[in-house]
Amino acid sequence: MDQLMAMRAFTRVVETGSFTRAADSLNMPIATLSKLVKALEAHLGVRLLQRTTRRVTSTPEGEDYYDKARRVLIDIEDIDTSFSAVKLQPQGHLRIDVGGSTARDVLIPLLPDFMRRYPDIRIDLGVADRPVDLISGNVDCVIRGGALEDSSLIARHIGNAVMVTCATPGYLKQHGIPAYPEELRNGHKLVSYLSPVTGRAVPFRFTHGDETRDITLQHHIGINESNAHLAAAVAGIGIIQTFRYSVRELIEAGSLVEILATWRPPHYPFYVVYPQNRHVTQRLRVFIAWLGEVFPQAVKG
């Protein structure tokens, strides 16, 4: 038995909660991974995992072994890193998850700079507005905005996005240009962004100095994906609130018009988030540092 590989296989099963996801993350056949875990259990003389038709969980002995094995694997990676060129030139596979409009308008345009700096880092980019499970989803980090509620994750602030309210010239010609937030109640059609987590419409929020107002109206249409949300506004369906970086070129081209500019929504914070119980690799460290350098200016729009 390759004990080191068996330890890696076992810890990935615990972290992902699945033999299939663990095998995928380690790029090995599921049969090979299963044999490694069984050989490890036979070597130790204890059952580490409890298998059911629906899920895989750790036994009490498995939980204890996982904590000790994870520390050993972290120490081994640190030793390897300290004696190799990786310390100077990070390499390996980095899995990142990010929302649709942020990927399209911010991260992907910036990535050529990162890839020039770190040509030996390979990137898998998952793009979706719906949050992923950082553990079972086998993701190194996610870029997310807004309120963060999971205290088991580490979140590093990487910038504040400017938000705007806008609509097409044709829509405003037909329905009029509101001068104050309350005028949205006078027959205007709102295109709401639906939270992918709760399914509820995010309220239209406005600030003026120290004053904040939320306008909660029945929306004309609600959409739970950021690119489609913007497309609905460009189609003239109604008024949206969105990131200025997503609509800057459309506003400059005259396809959209910003309204209520003196009542802009509050800035929207962005974070890079990763599990606190997972070793931060050198490639993740340099990615986080790079985000802190380039992301704040990019999201200002």
Side-chain angles (χ1 to χ4, degrees):
M1 177 188 66
D2 183 337
Q3 188 169 359
L4 183 59
M5 182 56 71
M7 290 169 65
R8 289 194 174 112
F10 166 71
T11 57
R12 287 308 295 150
V13 172
V14 173
E15 290 168 350
T16 62
S18 162
F19 276 78
T20 301
R21 287 193 291 264
D24 288 344
S25 71
L26 293 171
N27 295 315
M28 70 170 59
I30 188 171
T32 302
L33 182 136
S34 182
K35 288 179 181 178
L36 283 168
V37 173
K38 288 179 181 178
L40 182 62
E41 290 179 321
H43 171 72
L44 298 172
V46 296
R47 181 177 290 277
L48 299 174
L49 298 171
Q50 186 68 40
R51 304 163 180 83
T52 68
T53 55
R54 292 189 175 182
R55 58 182 304 188
V56 178
T57 58
S58 301
T59 64
E61 294 81 6
E63 291 179 7
D64 185 42
Y65 188 80
Y66 169 78
D67 290 337
K68 291 179 172 64
R70 186 172 60 84
R71 288 196 293 270
V72 170
L73 293 172
I74 289 172
D75 288 342
I76 289 172
E77 183 169 351
D78 285 342
I79 292 170
D80 289 346
T81 299
S82 67
F83 283 93
S84 71
V86 173
K87 189 171 183 180
L88 298 176
Q89 189 62 38
Q91 61 185 0
H93 202 177
L94 194 59
R95 300 171 180 87
I96 307 159
D97 192 81
V98 63
S101 64
T102 308
R104 183 195 66 195
D105 300 317
V106 181
L107 183 60
I108 290 175
L110 291 173
L111 275 180
D113 173 66
F114 180 81
M115 299 172 101
R116 279 192 297 270
R117 297 192 200 186
Y118 305 104
D120 295 326
I121 295 179
R122 296 178 294 115
I123 293 175
D124 278 357
L125 194 61
V127 180
D129 286 359
R130 185 176 298 276
V132 299
D133 187 324
L134 275 160
I135 303 300
S136 65
N138 190 33
V139 174
D140 294 296
C141 69
V142 301
I143 299 171
R144 283 291 182 265
L148 300 174
E149 300 176 356
D150 192 340
S151 60
S152 68
L153 302 174
I154 296 176
R156 297 189 183 277
H157 182 243
I158 52 173
N160 294 310
V162 175
M163 303 285 291
V164 295
T165 309
C166 55
T168 61
Y171 171 89
L172 296 173
K173 182 178 180 180
Q174 181 178 356
H175 297 276
I177 301 176
Y180 299 96
E182 286 74 14
E183 291 184 19
L184 294 178
R185 305 181 189 278
N186 300 331
H188 279 284
K189 300 181 185 298
L190 303 186
V191 179
S192 291
Y193 182 76
L194 303 180
S195 166
V197 177
T198 67
R200 300 190 185 97
V202 176
F204 277 55
R205 179 163 291 175
F206 300 89
T207 60
H208 184 74
D210 295 332
E211 186 178 359
T212 299
R213 299 183 191 177
D214 283 358
I215 301 297
T216 53
L217 297 175
Q218 187 173 20
H219 54 258
H220 189 58
I221 183 173
I223 300 174
N224 68 352
E225 197 280 325
S226 51
N227 290 312
H229 179 240
L230 174 58
V234 174
I237 293 175
I239 297 172
I240 65 166
Q241 283 192 336
T242 190
F243 304 116
R244 187 170 68 177
Y245 63 70
S246 290
V247 296
R248 181 184 63 249
E249 293 183 0
L250 291 168
I251 290 174
E252 291 173 354
S255 301
L256 290 174
V257 176
E258 181 182 1
I259 60 174
L260 299 166
T262 59
W263 284 90
R264 274 185 174 165
H267 287 179
Y268 190 84
F270 272 93
Y271 304 87
V272 56
V273 184
Y274 53 95
Q276 63 179 347
N277 64 346
R278 186 180 296 174
H279 178 56
V280 179
T281 61
Q282 181 73 356
R283 56 186 174 272
L284 180 55
R285 286 195 189 100
V286 298
F287 180 71
I288 292 170
W290 174 78
L291 282 177
E293 176 187 340
V294 303
F295 204 85
Q297 186 62 38
V299 295
K300 286 182 179 179

